[in-house]
C-alpha cells in the first residue's frame, strides 16, 4: 500500500500543490469578499430575530396589560351597571310608593267629598220632605177645618171644648 501512495504523490505532487494553492487562494478570497457579508447578514438576521422576539415579548406584555386593564374596566362597568340598576329600582319603588300614597290621599278626598255631597243631598231631601209634609199637613188641616166649620153648631162646640181645655 505504501507504494500506491508514493506513486500518487510523486506523479501528482504538482496537482496537489496547485490544488492546495487554489484552495488557500479560494479561502482568502472567500474570507475577504464572502465571509464578511455572509457573517454580517447572519449577524443582521440574528439581530432581527432578537428584535422580533423582544417586540413579541413587549407585545405579549402589552396584551397582558391591556387584558388586565380591560378586565378592570369590565368590572368597573359591571359595578356601575349594578349601581344604576339599584338606583333605578329604588327610584321606581319611591315613585310607586308616592303614587300609591297620592292615590290613597286622593281617594280619601273623593270619599270625603262624596260623603259631604251625600250629607248635603240628604239634608236637602229631608228639607224638601219636611216642606212637602208641612204643606200637605196644612192642606189637610185646612180641608178638615173647612168641613168642621161649615156647620155653626160644630164651630161653637169646638170653641167650647177648647175653652174647657185651656186653664186660665
Amino acid at each position: 500500500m505504501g507504494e500506491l501512495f508514493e506513486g500518487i504523490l510523486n506523479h501528482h505532487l504538482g496537482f496537489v500543490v496547485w490544488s492546495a494553492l487554489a484552495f488557500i487562494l479560494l479561502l482568502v478570497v472567500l474570507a475577504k469578499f464572502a465571509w464578511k457579508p455572509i457573517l454580517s447578514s447572519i449577524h443582521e438576521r440574528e439581530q432581527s430575530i432578537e428584535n422580533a422576539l423582544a417586540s413579541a415579548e413587549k407585545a405579549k406584555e402589552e396584551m397582558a396589560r391591556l387584558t388586565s386593564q380591560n378586565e378592570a374596566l369590565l368590572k368597573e362597568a359591571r359595578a356601575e351597571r349594578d349601581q344604576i340598576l339599584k338606583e333605578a329600582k329604588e327610584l321606581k319603588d319611591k315613585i310607586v310608593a308616592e303614587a300609591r300614597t297620592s292615590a290613597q290621599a286622593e281617594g280619601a278626598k273623593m270619599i270625603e267629598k262624596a260623603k259631604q255631597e251625600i250629607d248635603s243631598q240628604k239634608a236637602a231631601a229631608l228639607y224638601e220632605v219636611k216642606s212637602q209634609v208641612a204643606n200637605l199637613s196644612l192642606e189637610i188641616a185646612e180641608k178638615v177645618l173647612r168641613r168642621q166649620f161649615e156647620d155653626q153648631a160644630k164651630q161653637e162646640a169646638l170653641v167650647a171644648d177648647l175653652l174647657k181645655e185651656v186653664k186660665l
Side-chain angles (χ1 to χ4, degrees):
M1 273 242 175
E3 292 177 2
L4 182 63
F5 284 113
E6 281 182 22
I8 293 175
L9 289 177
N10 286 335
H11 293 290
H12 300 290
L13 185 60
F15 179 69
V16 170
V17 169
W18 282 110
S19 293
L21 186 63
F23 182 72
I24 291 172
L25 182 63
L26 180 65
L27 281 179
V28 169
V29 168
L30 285 177
K32 184 165 185 157
F33 295 108
W35 287 112
K36 287 182 182 178
I38 291 173
L39 286 177
S40 67
S41 67
I42 289 174
H43 182 65
E44 287 175 13
R45 179 72 177 148
E46 184 180 307
Q47 285 293 357
S48 68
I49 290 173
E50 286 178 9
N51 289 340
L53 287 175
S55 61
E57 186 65 31
K58 285 181 183 177
K60 182 179 176 183
E61 290 172 1
E62 182 69 17
M63 286 297 294
R65 185 186 64 79
L66 288 174
T67 302
S68 66
Q69 189 177 16
N70 285 343
E71 288 292 325
L73 286 174
L74 188 59
K75 284 181 184 178
E76 184 179 327
R78 285 181 182 155
E80 188 174 333
R81 178 201 65 197
D82 291 342
Q83 181 66 27
I84 289 171
L85 288 176
K86 180 182 174 186
E87 289 173 1
K89 185 176 185 238
E90 289 173 357
L91 183 61
K92 177 199 73 143
D93 292 342
K94 182 181 175 185
I95 289 172
V96 167
E98 287 176 359
R100 184 176 290 130
T101 303
S102 175
Q104 287 175 347
E106 189 66 29
K109 285 180 185 178
M110 289 176 72
I111 289 171
E112 186 60 33
K113 187 176 179 181
K115 284 181 182 179
Q116 289 175 352
E117 184 67 26
I118 289 170
D119 288 343
S120 68
Q121 292 288 332
K122 183 178 173 183
L126 283 176
Y127 178 77
E128 184 69 27
V129 167
K130 285 180 182 179
S131 175
Q132 287 179 0
V133 166
N135 285 339
L136 287 175
S137 297
L138 285 175
E139 286 178 19
I140 291 171
E142 184 180 334
K143 287 181 182 177
V144 166
L145 287 176
R146 279 194 189 153
R147 277 196 189 150
Q148 284 184 353
F149 290 130
E150 285 178 356
D151 185 17
Q152 185 67 26
K154 283 185 181 177
Q155 285 179 8
E156 289 176 4
L158 180 60
V159 170
D161 283 340
L162 286 174
L163 286 174
K164 285 181 189 173
E165 289 180 13
V166 176
K167 296 181 181 179
L168 294 174

